[in-house]
Amino acid sequence: TARRMRKKGYVGRVVHALFRDEELRYFMAQKALSVPTYDERVIYETALEIVEEKLGGFPYGVSLVGVRVASLSHLSGFPRPLFPQDQRRERLLLALDRIRDRFGEEAVVPASTLVSRLLAGATGGMGRQKELSLELRKSRRPFNKEDVTPQR
């Protein structure tokens, strides 16, 4: 979402988060930001806040998760970042966009998602990810490929 906003030159002010439970019921809420953004980290963290604080967290059988940004405004109407750390973050986001444009979306991913990707590949899907993650967290040991046998 944030990448498409940057590409088209927009910032957004309202983040919507939703999920569908195993009984196919939808739960959604929104939150307005004090400053419009196109930063995926801000959007992601806001979406998590919405789910935790307004929706009571994810239930066990989530079958769909969605995030969208509304109240869009054209970027040309907003001043560039003033502080050095904000300027650096903006340059980083634009550099990552150029890398992903050239080498694909998977060229640069957050390290925190690597275990989830490995679990999803090893189990044949996301169904057992939460269960395995909790088991590994309880045992307080690092994850190894041998911990999961592929589902056939």
Side-chain angles (χ1 to χ4, degrees):
T1 300
R3 189 159 137 67
R4 288 192 314 267
M5 289 170 55
R6 284 192 298 274
K7 189 172 189 168
K8 295 183 180 202
Y10 287 97
V11 291
R13 183 142 191 232
V14 178
V15 177
H16 298 261
L18 69 96
F19 64 82
R20 183 176 64 201
D21 68 7
E22 59 190 358
E23 296 174 7
L24 303 180
R25 295 177 299 185
Y26 286 88
F27 299 86
M28 59 191 84
Q30 66 186 28
K31 182 176 182 178
L33 301 172
S34 58
V35 177
T37 189
Y38 61 35
D39 187 333
E40 61 258 17
R41 182 175 60 194
V42 173
I43 295 168
Y44 172 77
E45 289 172 0
T46 303
L48 285 181
E49 285 176 24
I50 293 167
V51 169
E52 293 299 323
E53 295 171 8
K54 295 186 177 186
L55 301 176
F58 289 110
Y60 180 73
V62 172
S63 59
L64 173 95
V65 175
V67 175
R68 71 181 180 100
V69 180
S71 295
L72 299 179
S73 301
H74 203 273
L75 185 59
S76 63
F78 290 90
R80 306 293 353 124
L82 178 63
F83 299 108
Q85 66 269 20
D86 296 333
Q87 293 170 352
R88 184 171 183 238
R89 176 74 183 163
E90 182 178 56
R91 286 193 312 271
L92 172 66
L93 291 172
L94 297 174
L96 288 172
D97 286 347
R98 288 191 303 274
I99 291 168
R100 290 177 176 138
D101 285 343
R102 184 169 180 187
F103 299 106
E105 291 298 318
E106 302 294 315
V108 180
V109 296
S112 60
T113 66
L114 294 178
V115 170
S116 296
R117 291 166 190 261
L118 183 58
L119 280 171
T123 61
M126 298 300 283
R128 294 184 55 220
Q129 176 189 355
K130 186 174 181 180
E131 171 189 340
L132 292 168
S133 177
L134 289 172
E135 287 177 23
L136 291 170
R137 197 176 301 155
K138 284 179 189 175
S139 68
R140 299 213 187 270
R141 63 184 175 83
F143 176 79
N144 295 315
K145 272 187 170 178
E146 294 77 33
D147 290 332
V148 180
T149 56
Q151 300 288 316
R152 297 196 199 272

